[in-house]
Amino acid sequence: MKINPVYEREIVTIILYTSVFFIILAVVLILFFYYSRKKILQKEFEKKDLEIQHQKEQLRAVIITQEEERKRIAQDLHDDISSKLNIVSLNSHLLKTPNLTAKETLEITGNIIELTAKALENTRRIAHDLLPPVFDKFGLHAGIEELCSEFNSSKAVQVDYQNNLEFDDADKEKDLHVFRILQELMNNSVRHGKASEITVSFDENEVGRYCRYTDNGVGFDIKDKKNHNGLGMKNIGSRVDFLNATLTVDSKIGKGISVLLNF
Ligand SMILES: Nc1ncnc2c1ncn2[C@@H]1O[C@H](COP(=O)(O)OP(=O)(O)OP(=O)(O)O)[C@@H](O)[C@H]1O
Ligand SMILES: [Mg+2]
């Protein structure tokens, strides 16, 4: 059979064009996938970079807080304990002075008793600030109850605390992070929010255990960079990381603050 040469040329041209079309399509597709993959990778690198930056910032906050805590403890020890023991020591040496009258001896021993009592009370306070004994002995629930009553006793703020959870003694280390988070949130509510009401509640749902925290204070703009300069919220962030938990903070100016900690 003989094929018409004109017809044959047409077929070859069609095949040629189709092949070129598919080659161009393949090149376009390859280029498209190459560039979109490159873009995805670039985005992933940027995300990783941000994460590393965030972790670095949190680490820095932890270190600075530790140093500040050390400075504060050193200051407390120096001002509230050493200075008092110093005067106790002076008074004790005075007792060795010959020919002291009974009145003088009484005055000096009175001083010693008063100063040692103050030094003792200060030691208790410093230790309490480092690790509240109630928390240490009776756990998170009792620790928070005490924390709330300390805030309530100031009369400036009323804390409503509800708890439907059991805290296990084996999780003491983790619970201390939760305690410190609440301590910082309450300090911020009083210091910055000027709140008159605070609520703290612990409960459980199908997702897990959670703590809800609110205050009725002045609130703040979370996105405003000037609210990112403190250490308190950064420390809360690293405690949340330690706990493998999630924290959502919601606040608007004039609307107080609402925090949800899933842990
Ligand atoms: N409950 C709140 N009500 C109003 N503003 C708040 C509240 N909590 C935080 N803020 C705002 O967020 C900022 C950051 O808080 P953060 O605890 O990190 O730092 P800080 O309290 O200023 O300093 P630090 O905790 O290091 O002593 C605060 O300066 C404040 O402006
Ligand atoms: Mg703070």
Side-chain angles (χ1 to χ4, degrees):
M1 188 178 80
K2 204 157 181 265
I3 297 172
N4 183 340
V6 177
Y7 186 58
E8 195 181 12
R9 222 178 294 132
E10 262 179 18
I11 288 176
V12 170
T13 319
I14 286 170
I15 289 172
L16 203 73
Y17 277 127
T18 317
S19 309
V20 168
F21 170 76
F22 278 112
I23 288 168
I24 291 173
L25 189 70
V27 170
V28 167
L29 279 178
I30 288 169
L31 282 177
F32 173 75
F33 282 118
Y34 173 75
Y35 281 110
S36 54
R37 178 96 197 110
K38 206 172 151 190
K39 242 194 182 149
I40 289 170
L41 280 178
Q42 204 174 346
K43 280 242 165 73
E44 267 171 18
F45 280 137
E46 275 168 15
K47 210 174 129 201
K48 276 259 149 52
D49 230 33
L50 272 179
E51 264 171 28
I52 292 171
Q53 203 61 31
H54 177 68
Q55 278 170 353
K56 270 190 190 161
E57 245 176 56
Q58 280 190 341
L59 197 66
R60 201 177 136 264
V62 170
I63 292 169
I64 293 177
T65 311
Q66 263 182 0
E67 284 308 323
E68 278 187 355
E69 189 81 346
R70 280 185 191 160
K71 208 162 100 188
R72 193 182 58 75
I73 298 165
Q75 231 162 25
D76 280 359
L77 286 176
H78 177 268
D79 299 349
D80 299 340
I81 311 286
S82 299
S83 63
K84 297 218 164 21
L85 290 180
N86 207 5
I87 309 172
V88 168
S89 161
L90 282 176
N91 276 284
S92 318
H93 278 99
L94 267 185
L95 278 180
K96 282 211 265 175
T97 320
N99 308 324
L100 279 179
T101 65
K103 193 178 162 236
E104 282 169 333
T105 314
L106 203 70
E107 200 182 315
I108 295 168
T109 43
N111 275 345
I112 293 175
I113 292 171
E114 195 188 320
L115 285 164
T116 39
K118 272 192 188 147
L120 213 72
E121 194 190 309
N122 289 338
T123 320
R124 263 217 216 92
R125 186 185 50 75
I126 294 168
H128 183 285
D129 284 352
L130 286 175
L131 182 66
V134 170
F135 170 87
D136 197 32
K137 261 197 196 142
F138 305 108
L140 183 59
H141 177 64
I144 296 173
E145 271 186 334
E146 191 195 42
L147 185 66
C148 295
S149 69
E150 278 168 11
F151 273 92
N152 283 337
S153 69
S154 75
K155 306 281 177 227
V157 65
Q158 187 64 40
V159 188
D160 176 53
Y161 169 53
Q162 313 264 347
N163 176 27
N164 289 325
L165 297 181
E166 289 278 335
F167 298 110
D168 197 333
D169 246 15
D171 295 330
K172 204 62 153 302
E173 209 182 305
K174 283 185 177 173
D175 288 351
L176 186 58
H177 288 303
V178 178
F179 181 82
R180 295 293 187 211
I181 289 173
L182 283 174
Q183 208 172 21
E184 175 61 24
L185 288 175
M186 285 189 194
N187 277 327
N188 279 351
S189 293
V190 172
R191 210 170 119 204
H192 306 297
K194 309 279 174 266
S196 60
E197 275 169 38
I198 292 174
T199 66
V200 182
S201 60
F202 283 88
D203 215 330
E204 196 163 17
N205 59 17
E206 54 290 344
V207 183
R209 306 173 125 212
Y210 64 87
C211 170
R212 199 178 280 284
Y213 177 96
T214 68
D215 80 27
N216 68 342
V218 299
F220 68 110
D221 181 1
I222 298 172
K223 291 201 189 96
D224 192 338
K225 281 266 186 291
K226 82 173 180 356
N227 290 323
H228 297 185
N229 296 335
L231 293 175
M233 295 308 272
K234 287 198 187 98
N235 278 327
I236 288 183
S238 40
R239 289 184 192 281
V240 169
D241 283 351
F242 280 132
L243 286 169
N244 248 332
T246 58
L247 182 93
T248 330
V249 181
D250 191 18
S251 185
K252 281 190 189 74
I253 291 168
K255 291 264 187 292
I257 186 173
S258 162
V259 179
L260 181 67
L261 172 73
N262 281 95
F263 63 105

